[in-house]
């Protein structure tokens, strides 16, 4: 797999005067900046959609990408919209039914693991939409490990550079942070708006009017 993105970022950071810093250290700064940017908002580029064949008597759900936040979850076999449960509610409110099997109607988390309740009594087709999360980047990370869009890689570069300057107590860090913030706003406006076919509308109603 290609290693172009990380190599170019590290080369550019060295061009900014950090050629005396080990590339592994610079890569850790890129990783830190990448995580901060990706986790700052529920970005559309983090969205994933999967169809999962869940085996009978197995209530733990595994997704292809790292599961961050659930956006929607359905049991397609039985046409049931799965409802979220707090883990403490699942334990206390259903104490007499914790080991039940049947048609899954709810889901809950224990730490980062996603579970169904009740446990499926037969194989089920599940469909889930969720937000994934970034993994850890290293000096040798493939381009596929980057979640932040390449067309806005300048935001990632300036975020990493500002961290490098702050480590050295260099006042240029504040300037780079301002540049990054400006680039971030441009990226944010671009990444959030995917359709211009139907703009948002505000409907003004009188007190006696209703919308059904």
């Amino acid at each position: 797999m290609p290693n172009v993105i990380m190599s170019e970022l590290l080369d550019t950071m060295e061009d900014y005067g950090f050629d005396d810093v080990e590339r592994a250290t610079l890569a850790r700064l890129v990783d830190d900046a990448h995580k901060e940017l990706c986790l700052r908002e529920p970005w559309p580029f983090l969205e994933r959609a999967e169809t999962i064949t869940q085996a009978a008597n197995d209530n733990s759900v595994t997704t292809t990408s790292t599961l961050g936040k659930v956006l929607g979850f359905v049991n397609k076999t039985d046409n049931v919209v799965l409802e979220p449960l707090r883990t403490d509610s699942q334990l206390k409110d259903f104490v007499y039914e914790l080991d039940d099997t049947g048609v899954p109607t709810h889901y809950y988390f224990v730490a980062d693991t996603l579970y169904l309740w009740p446990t499926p009594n037969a194989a089920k087709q599940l469909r889930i939409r969720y937000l994934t999360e970034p993994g850890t980047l290293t000096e040798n990370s493939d381009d596929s490990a980057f979640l932040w869009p390449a067309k806005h890689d300048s935001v990632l570069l300036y975020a990493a550079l500002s961290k490098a300057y702050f480590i050295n107590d260099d006042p240029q860090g504040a300037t780079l942070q301002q540049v990054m913030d400006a680039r971030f706003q441009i990226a944010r406006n671009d990444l959030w708006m995917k359709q211009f076919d139907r703009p948002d509308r505000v409907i003004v109603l009188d007190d006696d009017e209703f919308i059904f």
Side-chain angles (χ1 to χ4, degrees):
M1 296 293 289
N3 177 235
V4 176
I5 297 177
M6 180 62 83
S7 293
E8 291 185 346
L9 286 169
L10 299 184
D11 289 345
T12 304
M13 293 180 75
E14 289 179 343
D15 291 340
Y16 270 81
F18 294 99
D19 51 331
D20 59 337
V21 180
E22 292 186 2
R23 289 174 73 88
T25 300
L26 296 178
R28 285 196 293 272
L29 298 178
V30 171
D31 171 61
D32 192 28
H34 183 255
K35 287 176 179 173
E36 286 184 4
L37 289 171
C38 290
L39 297 177
R40 183 176 288 195
E41 300 189 27
W43 301 107
F45 63 79
L46 297 177
E47 294 175 4
R48 301 291 185 271
E50 291 186 29
T51 297
I52 300 170
T53 300
Q54 189 74 13
N57 302 312
D58 181 9
N59 69 335
S60 63
V61 179
T62 302
T63 54
T64 303
S65 300
T66 301
L67 176 59
K69 309 290 188 298
V70 174
L71 298 174
F73 200 10
V74 300
N75 167 7
K76 193 65 184 70
T77 299
D78 303 294
N79 292 324
V80 174
V81 176
L82 299 174
E83 298 291 339
L85 279 176
R86 287 169 50 107
T87 182
D88 56 337
S89 296
Q90 190 274 339
L91 178 66
K92 298 174 183 178
D93 296 348
F94 301 97
V95 61
Y96 297 108
E97 303 163 312
L98 290 177
D99 299 323
D100 279 6
T101 60
V103 175
T105 55
H106 294 77
Y107 68 90
Y108 63 97
F109 282 90
V110 176
D112 292 325
T113 303
L114 177 62
Y115 292 96
L116 299 171
W117 184 85
T119 299
N121 59 355
K124 304 292 182 182
Q125 185 185 76
L126 310 175
R127 292 185 185 174
I128 185 171
R129 294 181 183 175
Y130 62 97
L131 299 177
T132 190
E133 291 184 343
T136 298
L137 300 175
T138 67
E139 180 182 354
N140 300 312
S141 289
D142 295 333
D143 291 352
S144 60
F146 285 82
L147 298 181
W148 184 256
K151 64 179 177 178
H152 296 298
D153 58 1
S154 63
V155 180
L156 179 56
L157 170 64
Y158 289 129
L161 280 171
S162 65
K163 291 179 179 295
Y165 280 119
F166 280 129
I167 287 176
N168 290 340
D169 291 327
D170 192 318
Q172 290 190 68
T175 302
L176 263 294
Q177 183 67 40
Q178 292 176 351
V179 174
M180 191 280 288
D181 289 341
R183 294 292 182 93
F184 176 81
Q185 288 305 317
I186 295 173
R188 186 177 188 276
N189 293 337
D190 172 60
L191 294 171
W192 272 112
M193 193 63 183
K194 288 298 184 183
Q195 64 84 20
F196 289 88
D197 181 49
R198 180 176 296 175
D200 293 335
R201 292 169 290 178
V202 177
I203 301 175
V204 180
L205 300 176
D206 291 332
D207 292 340
D208 296 330
E209 294 180 312
F210 301 91
I211 287 185
F212 295 96

